[in-house]
């Protein structure tokens, strides 16, 4: 009769070990702590220096960000913030975010998501968001890692599951879910693998595939399944989102967009807003403004050039809508952002957006 309690205690100890490893790896990868090469199973807080990460004096106070770029490890990101942070409106890419310490608040349309330790955030398609880290300090930094969803893997695994397409109510393409022990363990093993000087591409592919499989088996799994399965309304909207991403500068109506994916305009509008919290034209506007901001910051385009490039016929209208979203005129906003980037290079949100 004592065995179930012993097993429960073992599970709790293993989860504590996983959290300790995740925190250590994130601190090492972001440069807030000496690098961790191989963390002994019995002592997850031990840190061994490697040549890949710079040493720090333990008193760094600026936020840090790094994305793993090793073979087959693209899309793995590590984040550490030692102070509060508020990110400007941006487009969140399809990702799963696990927070090892602290809390993040993310808003999209009328929805608000709060996630932190034991609760992960998952987004199945690109959505416009606001986000912030309400609390963080050098003593208690915000620590997180993310994995960009590979929708080709989701589609491949979905095809193998042979689930029936059910008539379900329209649901958001973003969610927060309780982080179970198996998914925590998979993320921990992936984080550990990134610390190797030469991580195995085979193991990397297997771990990333395992995480996708566990997400498909989660409560949000059916929604992910429908996104990539032909014949579902969710897949029709998903394909429309992909078209808008590539053609945001085009002049289109809701009727045009609905016709492209063989949906009635009313049904198309209902599912689009239910999944993204935005109407189709609101979504397109956010894509345009986001791209215009990127063009001015990264490519040096002036206000009129950026407005024209993303599909605005009136520079005055562009300036008005830009100021409504970002709180400042395009010129003032980009001037401040460029100055800020010079001071804080490498500070990014979890989806890689400055």
């Amino acid at each position: 009769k004592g065995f179930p309690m012993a097993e429960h205690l073992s599970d709790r100890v293993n989860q504590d070990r996983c959290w300790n490893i995740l925190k250590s790896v994130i601190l090492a990868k972001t440069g807030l702590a000496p690098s961790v090469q191989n963390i002994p199973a019995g002592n997850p807080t031990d840190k061994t220096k490697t040549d890949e990460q710079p040493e720090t004096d333990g008193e760094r106070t600026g936020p840090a960000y790094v994305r793993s770029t090793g073979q087959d490890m693209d899309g793995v990101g590590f984040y550490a913030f030692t102070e509060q942070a508020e990110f400007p409106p941006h487009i969140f890419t399809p990702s799963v975010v696990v927070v090892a310490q602290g809390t993040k608040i993310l808003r999209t349309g009328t929805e608000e998501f709060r996630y932190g330790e034991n609760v992960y955030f998952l987004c199945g398609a690109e959505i416009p968001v606001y986000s912030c880290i309400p609390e963080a300090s050098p003593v208690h930094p915000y620590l997180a890692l993310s994995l960009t969803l590979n929708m080709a893997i989701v589609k491949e695994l979905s095809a193998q599951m042979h689930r029936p397409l059910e008539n379900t109510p329209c649901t958001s393409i973003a969610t927060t879910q309780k982080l179970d022990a198996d998914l925590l363990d998979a993320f921990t093993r992936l984080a550990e693998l990134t610390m190797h000087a030469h991580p195995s591409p085979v193991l990397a592919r297997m771990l990333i595939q395992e995480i996708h499989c566990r997400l498909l088996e989660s409560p949000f799994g059916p929604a992910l399944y429908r996104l990539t399965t032909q014949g579902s309304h969710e897949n029709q909207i998903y394909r429309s989102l992909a078209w808008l991403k590539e053609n945001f500068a085009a002049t289109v109506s809701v009727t045009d967009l609905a016709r492209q994916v063989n949906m009635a305009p009313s049904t198309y509008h209902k599912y689009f807003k239910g999944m993204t919290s935005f109407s189709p034209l609101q979504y397109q506007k956010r894509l345009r403004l986001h791209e215009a901001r990127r063009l001015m910051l990264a490519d040096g385009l002036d206000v009129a050039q950026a407005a024209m490039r993303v599909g605005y016929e009136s520079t005055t209208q562009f300036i008005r809508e830009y100021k409504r979203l970002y709180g400042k005129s395009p010129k003032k906003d980009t001037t401040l952002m460029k100055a800020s980037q010079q001071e804080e290079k490498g500070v990014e949100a979890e989806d890689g957006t400055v």
Side-chain angles (χ1 to χ4, degrees):
K1 291 183 179 179
F3 284 126
M5 183 176 292
E7 290 176 1
H8 177 72
L9 180 61
S10 176
D11 288 344
R12 190 177 67 192
V13 170
N14 184 58
Q15 289 185 46
D16 287 345
R17 174 182 176 275
C18 286
W19 286 118
N20 285 333
I21 291 174
L22 283 181
K23 291 175 184 177
S24 296
V25 172
I26 295 167
L27 288 169
K29 296 292 287 188
T30 56
L32 293 185
S35 194
V36 185
Q37 179 60 32
N38 291 307
I39 304 172
N43 189 2
T45 58
D46 280 357
K47 303 177 181 64
T48 305
K49 297 177 184 177
T50 72
D51 294 331
E52 295 185 12
Q53 299 292 333
E55 292 188 31
T56 65
D57 57 11
E59 297 182 355
R60 178 174 177 175
T61 58
Y65 159 88
V66 65
R67 185 174 293 277
S68 179
T69 56
Q71 184 179 9
D72 291 299
M73 299 295 280
D74 287 346
V76 182
F78 301 89
Y79 314 84
F81 287 81
T82 57
E83 55 192 31
Q84 293 177 332
E86 184 171 347
F87 302 103
H90 57 279
I91 306 298
F92 201 98
T93 56
S95 308
V96 55
V97 182
V98 173
V99 178
Q101 184 168 276
T103 301
K104 184 81 174 284
I105 298 173
L106 183 146
R107 298 183 183 90
T108 175
T110 58
E111 292 188 283
E112 178 176 296
F113 301 94
R114 179 183 289 265
Y115 53 99
E117 299 156 42
N118 297 310
V119 176
Y120 66 89
F121 177 75
L122 174 62
C123 180
E126 294 188 335
I127 53 172
V129 301
Y130 300 86
S131 61
C132 69
I133 298 168
E135 294 182 13
S137 69
V139 176
H140 194 82
Y142 169 85
L143 305 174
L145 74 157
S146 70
L147 174 66
T148 302
L149 286 187
N150 185 323
M151 299 311 286
I153 294 178
V154 172
K155 186 174 183 179
E156 178 186 352
L157 293 173
S158 295
Q160 296 174 27
M161 290 180 172
H162 303 294
R163 286 177 174 169
L165 272 178
E166 302 173 353
N167 292 322
T168 57
C170 179
T171 57
S172 172
I173 52 178
T175 184
T176 52
Q177 298 287 332
K178 186 179 184 300
L179 182 65
D180 62 43
D182 291 330
L183 189 56
L184 171 62
D185 180 66
F187 267 105
T188 302
R189 286 181 279 124
L190 180 63
E192 286 184 296
L193 184 62
T194 67
M195 296 305 299
H196 289 269
H198 304 287
S200 166
V202 175
L203 282 177
R205 286 194 296 271
M206 290 175 64
L207 284 170
I208 290 172
Q209 189 172 52
E210 177 186 345
I211 289 171
H212 283 73
C213 184
R214 294 196 180 281
L215 293 174
L216 279 165
E217 292 177 343
S218 74
F220 192 68
L224 271 182
Y225 173 77
R226 291 193 297 273
L227 272 182
T228 57
T229 303
Q230 287 192 354
S232 69
H233 288 319
E234 289 84 355
N235 179 251
Q236 289 171 298
I237 299 300
Y238 180 74
R239 288 188 283 117
S240 185
L241 292 173
W243 187 90
L244 280 170
K245 179 184 175 182
E246 298 299 323
N247 300 276
F248 54 79
T251 301
V252 291
S253 66
V254 173
T255 301
D256 295 331
L257 293 168
R259 187 184 299 116
Q260 288 178 359
V261 291
N262 300 313
M263 294 179 76
S266 60
T267 304
Y268 174 83
H269 190 279
K270 173 187 173 183
Y271 270 83
F272 195 106
K273 190 161 188 178
M275 291 171 62
T276 67
S277 293
F278 291 88
S279 71
L281 298 185
Q282 286 174 331
Y283 185 89
Q284 182 190 32
K285 182 190 297 184
R286 291 291 290 270
L287 291 178
R288 284 179 169 184
L289 293 172
H290 177 264
E291 176 62 11
R293 191 171 193 257
R294 189 197 68 79
L295 289 170
M296 290 185 288
L297 287 171
D299 295 353
L301 269 63
D302 63 29
V303 174
Q305 290 172 327
M308 185 177 297
R309 181 78 65 86
V310 300
Y312 278 89
E313 296 180 0
S314 166
T315 303
T316 302
Q317 181 187 359
F318 168 71
I319 293 173
R320 182 170 60 248
E321 293 183 352
Y322 188 102
K323 187 174 183 179
R324 186 180 301 133
L325 178 61
Y326 291 104
K328 303 178 186 70
S329 69
K331 186 174 182 180
K332 183 175 182 180
D333 179 51
T334 53
T335 299
L336 290 172
M337 278 298 297
K338 287 175 181 177
S340 176
Q341 287 174 352
Q342 291 299 318
E343 296 174 4
E344 293 283 3
K345 288 189 177 294
V347 179
E348 305 191 10
E350 278 142 356
D351 62 339
T353 303
V354 175

Short mmCIF file of all heavy atoms in Angstrom, two decimals, residues 5-25:
data_model
loop_
_atom_site.label_atom_id
_atom_site.label_comp_id
_atom_site.label_asym_id
_atom_site.label_seq_id
_atom_site.Cartn_x
_atom_site.Cartn_y
_atom_site.Cartn_z
N MET A 5 2.34 6.11 -2.89
CA MET A 5 2.88 7.33 -2.31
C MET A 5 4.35 7.49 -2.69
O MET A 5 4.81 8.59 -3.01
CB MET A 5 2.74 7.31 -0.78
CG MET A 5 3.24 8.60 -0.12
SD MET A 5 2.96 8.61 1.66
CE MET A 5 1.18 8.70 1.72
N ALA A 6 5.08 6.37 -2.71
CA ALA A 6 6.49 6.43 -3.10
C ALA A 6 6.63 6.88 -4.55
O ALA A 6 7.50 7.67 -4.90
CB ALA A 6 7.14 5.07 -2.89
N GLU A 7 5.72 6.37 -5.42
CA GLU A 7 5.77 6.77 -6.82
C GLU A 7 5.44 8.25 -6.97
O GLU A 7 6.05 8.96 -7.76
CB GLU A 7 4.78 5.92 -7.63
CG GLU A 7 5.20 4.46 -7.76
CD GLU A 7 4.15 3.64 -8.48
OE1 GLU A 7 3.12 4.24 -8.87
OE2 GLU A 7 4.33 2.44 -8.64
N HIS A 8 4.46 8.72 -6.20
CA HIS A 8 4.09 10.13 -6.26
C HIS A 8 5.26 11.02 -5.82
O HIS A 8 5.55 12.04 -6.44
CB HIS A 8 2.87 10.38 -5.36
CG HIS A 8 2.47 11.82 -5.30
ND1 HIS A 8 1.85 12.46 -6.35
CD2 HIS A 8 2.61 12.75 -4.32
CE1 HIS A 8 1.62 13.72 -6.04
NE2 HIS A 8 2.06 13.92 -4.80
N LEU A 9 5.95 10.61 -4.75
CA LEU A 9 7.10 11.36 -4.27
C LEU A 9 8.20 11.37 -5.32
O LEU A 9 8.84 12.40 -5.57
CB LEU A 9 7.61 10.77 -2.96
CG LEU A 9 8.83 11.46 -2.33
CD1 LEU A 9 8.49 12.90 -1.99
CD2 LEU A 9 9.27 10.71 -1.07
N SER A 10 8.40 10.22 -5.98
CA SER A 10 9.42 10.13 -7.02
C SER A 10 9.10 11.07 -8.17
O SER A 10 9.99 11.73 -8.72
CB SER A 10 9.53 8.69 -7.52
OG SER A 10 10.44 8.59 -8.59
N ASP A 11 7.82 11.12 -8.57
CA ASP A 11 7.42 12.02 -9.66
C ASP A 11 7.70 13.47 -9.30
O ASP A 11 8.17 14.26 -10.12
CB ASP A 11 5.93 11.85 -9.97
CG ASP A 11 5.64 10.52 -10.66
OD1 ASP A 11 6.59 9.91 -11.16
OD2 ASP A 11 4.46 10.11 -10.67
N ARG A 12 7.40 13.84 -8.05
CA ARG A 12 7.60 15.22 -7.62
C ARG A 12 9.08 15.58 -7.61
O ARG A 12 9.48 16.67 -8.04
CB ARG A 12 7.01 15.42 -6.22
CG ARG A 12 6.96 16.89 -5.80
CD ARG A 12 6.30 17.02 -4.45
NE ARG A 12 7.13 16.41 -3.41
CZ ARG A 12 6.70 16.18 -2.16
NH1 ARG A 12 5.45 16.45 -1.83
NH2 ARG A 12 7.51 15.65 -1.28
N VAL A 13 9.91 14.65 -7.13
CA VAL A 13 11.36 14.89 -7.12
C VAL A 13 11.88 15.03 -8.55
O VAL A 13 12.69 15.91 -8.84
CB VAL A 13 12.09 13.75 -6.38
CG1 VAL A 13 13.60 13.87 -6.58
CG2 VAL A 13 11.75 13.76 -4.90
N ASN A 14 11.38 14.20 -9.46
CA ASN A 14 11.82 14.27 -10.85
C ASN A 14 11.40 15.60 -11.48
O ASN A 14 12.17 16.20 -12.23
CB ASN A 14 11.23 13.11 -11.64
CG ASN A 14 11.72 13.08 -13.08
OD1 ASN A 14 12.91 13.00 -13.33
ND2 ASN A 14 10.79 13.16 -14.02
N GLN A 15 10.20 16.08 -11.18
CA GLN A 15 9.76 17.36 -11.72
C GLN A 15 10.59 18.51 -11.15
O GLN A 15 10.93 19.44 -11.88
CB GLN A 15 8.27 17.58 -11.42
CG GLN A 15 7.36 16.67 -12.23
CD GLN A 15 5.89 16.96 -12.02
OE1 GLN A 15 5.47 18.12 -12.04
NE2 GLN A 15 5.10 15.93 -11.83
N ASP A 16 10.90 18.45 -9.87
CA ASP A 16 11.76 19.48 -9.28
C ASP A 16 13.11 19.50 -9.98
O ASP A 16 13.69 20.55 -10.24
CB ASP A 16 11.95 19.22 -7.78
CG ASP A 16 10.69 19.55 -6.98
OD1 ASP A 16 9.80 20.22 -7.53
OD2 ASP A 16 10.60 19.09 -5.83
N ARG A 17 13.63 18.31 -10.26
CA ARG A 17 14.92 18.20 -10.97
C ARG A 17 14.81 18.83 -12.36
O ARG A 17 15.70 19.57 -12.79
CB ARG A 17 15.33 16.74 -11.08
CG ARG A 17 16.58 16.52 -11.92
CD ARG A 17 16.92 15.03 -12.04
NE ARG A 17 18.06 14.84 -12.92
CZ ARG A 17 17.97 14.74 -14.25
NH1 ARG A 17 16.79 14.83 -14.83
NH2 ARG A 17 19.06 14.57 -14.98
N CYS A 18 13.69 18.56 -13.06
CA CYS A 18 13.50 19.13 -14.39
C CYS A 18 13.48 20.65 -14.34
O CYS A 18 14.12 21.32 -15.16
CB CYS A 18 12.19 18.62 -15.00
SG CYS A 18 12.24 16.90 -15.56
N TRP A 19 12.76 21.22 -13.38
CA TRP A 19 12.69 22.67 -13.27
C TRP A 19 14.06 23.27 -12.98
O TRP A 19 14.43 24.31 -13.54
CB TRP A 19 11.71 23.09 -12.18
CG TRP A 19 10.27 22.92 -12.55
CD1 TRP A 19 9.34 22.12 -11.95
CD2 TRP A 19 9.58 23.56 -13.64
NE1 TRP A 19 8.13 22.22 -12.59
CE2 TRP A 19 8.24 23.11 -13.62
CE3 TRP A 19 9.96 24.48 -14.62
CZ2 TRP A 19 7.29 23.54 -14.55
CZ3 TRP A 19 9.02 24.90 -15.54
CH2 TRP A 19 7.72 24.44 -15.50
N ASN A 20 14.82 22.61 -12.11
CA ASN A 20 16.17 23.10 -11.80
C ASN A 20 17.07 23.08 -13.04
O ASN A 20 17.86 24.00 -13.28
CB ASN A 20 16.79 22.27 -10.68
CG ASN A 20 16.21 22.60 -9.32
OD1 ASN A 20 15.74 23.71 -9.09
ND2 ASN A 20 16.24 21.64 -8.41
N ILE A 21 16.95 22.02 -13.81
CA ILE A 21 17.76 21.91 -15.03
C ILE A 21 17.36 23.01 -16.02
O ILE A 21 18.22 23.69 -16.61
CB ILE A 21 17.60 20.52 -15.68
CG1 ILE A 21 18.27 19.45 -14.81
CG2 ILE A 21 18.21 20.50 -17.08
CD1 ILE A 21 18.03 18.04 -15.29
N LEU A 22 16.06 23.19 -16.23
CA LEU A 22 15.60 24.22 -17.16
C LEU A 22 16.10 25.60 -16.77
O LEU A 22 16.60 26.35 -17.61
CB LEU A 22 14.07 24.23 -17.22
CG LEU A 22 13.38 23.14 -18.04
CD1 LEU A 22 11.87 23.33 -18.01
CD2 LEU A 22 13.88 23.14 -19.48
N LYS A 23 16.00 25.93 -15.49
CA LYS A 23 16.47 27.24 -15.03
C LYS A 23 17.97 27.39 -15.28
O LYS A 23 18.43 28.44 -15.74
CB LYS A 23 16.15 27.42 -13.55
CG LYS A 23 14.68 27.56 -13.24
CD LYS A 23 14.42 27.61 -11.74
CE LYS A 23 12.94 27.64 -11.42
NZ LYS A 23 12.68 27.62 -9.95
N SER A 24 18.72 26.35 -14.97
CA SER A 24 20.17 26.41 -15.15
C SER A 24 20.56 26.58 -16.61
O SER A 24 21.43 27.37 -16.96
CB SER A 24 20.83 25.15 -14.58
OG SER A 24 20.62 25.05 -13.19
N VAL A 25 19.88 25.84 -17.49
CA VAL A 25 20.19 25.92 -18.92
C VAL A 25 19.82 27.29 -19.47
O VAL A 25 20.58 27.90 -20.23
CB VAL A 25 19.48 24.80 -19.70
CG1 VAL A 25 19.65 25.01 -21.21
CG2 VAL A 25 20.02 23.43 -19.31
#
